[in-house]
Amino acid sequence: MRERPQPFVADRAMLAEATDLMARFGEHAPFEAAARADRSRDLGNVVHFCRWRQVERLVLLLSEEAPSGTVH
């Protein structure tokens, strides 16, 4: 099984965005984050594009049943 790269968590707000999407959109939360990233890209906002892509990865990580990566 290949491990997914761990997302970069820039700040607490990124975690709040990820958990908010999960609460509001359930299993569709990664798709909503991807859609927001695409909108940001279309508007030429590379900073928000990258942030929403990281939120998408974070949502996927938080949705996993088993821990991944290093467990302390």
Side-chain angles (χ1 to χ4, degrees):
M1 175 187 250
R2 196 174 126 192
E3 271 192 45
R4 222 180 257 161
Q6 300 298 310
F8 174 73
V9 180
D11 52 30
R12 189 170 174 85
M14 187 176 280
L15 284 169
E17 289 165 346
T19 56
D20 179 59
L21 287 181
M22 292 172 77
R24 292 174 61 204
F25 297 97
E27 66 185 37
H28 301 290
F31 301 112
E32 177 63 22
R36 292 179 186 201
D38 290 344
R39 271 193 301 274
S40 295
R41 182 195 59 217
D42 293 345
L43 293 171
N45 191 332
V46 70
V47 173
H48 283 165
F49 168 77
C50 293
R51 183 174 185 88
W52 282 113
R53 283 292 180 221
Q54 287 300 87
V55 169
E56 177 186 3
R57 292 180 186 106
L58 186 55
V59 166
L60 291 170
L61 177 69
L62 293 172
S63 299
E64 291 181 358
E65 294 290 326
S68 64
T70 304
V71 179
H72 297 272

